[in-house]
Amino acid sequence: EVLEKCGVVLGNLSFPTRSSHRLLAPFYAQTVNKALREVLQDDDFALPLHEHQPDNEVVTVNPSRMVAQGLGLGKTHYALDAACATSLYAIKLASDELRTGKADLMLAGAISCSDQLFIHMGFSIFHAYAGHDQAFAPLDKNSGGLISSEGAGMVVLKRLADAQRDGDDILAVIGGVGLSNDGRGKFLLSPNPRGQQLAFERAYQDHQLQPERTEYLEC
């Protein structure tokens, strides 16, 4: 009965995984073969390619459905990709499901388990990695860039009154969430200061919060 009123919002970085990228390997090989034949001036050159059919063909849209079916959840379930803001969007959207009464319990979280080749290629194109002689220090002006890794996290969300009624262990209360979509303001890796400020203002104003009473920020 409880699970019938529970849903899941799952953030999922929409890059191929180690298994699913093998489904596309023939297409990559065709492109690379063509380029190498021109460079080598050898029409017979061909990369060795081993056909592989993974047991799990999930690419990007199915993980939330698998979770919902596996746990027997009866409410909203979907996956989303908002890059670095994915987990925050998942919590915001799951909170909306509770606030509007569409669900009484929500799972919200995100997973990053993409094939590292694609991750490294993408961030390298953006020159986003810190150099070997530079520091990696988030939110520090002296930081030389970022590092990439894998991870997963999930939280269980309920309306505060329901959690208190049921005697749940309450680890935290979400006071407010502020979002702003400002990627085109400057550059993908250089957030627009006005957009960042707007996100804070929305979090505080929409929920009658005072900045000086804030204990924790996720950004």
Side-chain angles (χ1 to χ4, degrees):
E1 182 180 354
V2 172
L3 294 180
E4 275 296 317
K5 301 176 182 179
C6 179
V8 57
V9 180
L10 179 64
N12 180 49
L13 193 61
S14 53
F15 279 114
T17 64
R18 291 188 184 91
S19 294
S20 69
H21 92 272
R22 297 173 186 171
L23 293 171
L24 305 177
F27 298 102
Y28 296 130
Q30 292 173 15
T31 303
V32 175
N33 275 334
K34 181 179 179 181
L36 288 177
R37 286 169 183 168
E38 293 177 359
V39 171
L40 300 174
Q41 296 182 343
D42 182 356
D43 293 336
D44 296 324
F45 177 84
L47 289 171
L49 178 63
H50 302 287
E51 293 287 346
H52 178 76
Q53 190 70 19
D55 295 330
N56 185 348
E57 298 181 6
V58 172
V59 179
T60 182
V61 296
N62 288 327
S64 63
R65 185 176 67 183
M66 294 177 64
V67 171
Q69 290 179 346
L71 298 179
L73 309 184
K75 292 299 181 180
T76 301
H77 60 82
Y78 57 89
L80 64 98
D81 180 1
C84 298
T86 298
S87 57
L88 184 59
Y89 266 93
I91 288 178
K92 167 64 167 63
L93 295 171
S95 298
D96 290 344
E97 294 289 308
L98 297 172
R99 190 175 299 111
T100 57
K102 295 180 180 179
D104 292 338
L105 186 70
M106 288 295 297
L107 303 179
I111 181 170
S112 177
C113 191
S114 304
D115 188 289
Q116 288 298 299
L117 173 63
F118 294 91
I119 299 294
H120 293 325
M121 286 173 57
F123 282 123
S124 293
I125 291 172
F126 288 134
H127 300 283
Y129 285 120
H132 69 279
D133 57 345
Q134 296 177 303
F136 161 65
L139 305 183
D140 190 308
K141 66 181 180 180
N142 296 317
S143 179
L146 55 78
I147 60 173
S148 58
S149 61
E150 297 178 348
M154 186 73 69
V155 294
V156 180
L157 301 178
K158 294 178 72 172
R159 289 180 290 270
L160 178 59
D162 293 348
Q164 292 172 330
R165 177 200 64 201
D166 297 337
D168 295 330
D169 290 331
I170 301 172
L171 302 182
V173 176
I174 298 175
V177 179
L179 300 170
S180 65
N181 190 347
D182 62 358
R184 64 183 297 179
K186 292 180 65 177
F187 178 63
L188 181 63
L189 300 179
S190 300
N192 188 323
R194 175 53 190 152
Q196 299 289 284
Q197 181 178 335
L198 183 61
F200 279 92
E201 291 174 351
R202 286 171 174 165
Y204 292 131
Q205 294 172 2
D206 292 350
H207 303 277
Q208 291 79 51
L209 299 174
Q210 300 300 318
E212 59 271 16
R213 295 189 60 189
T214 301
E215 297 178 3
Y216 178 81
L217 292 172
E218 165 69 26
C219 57

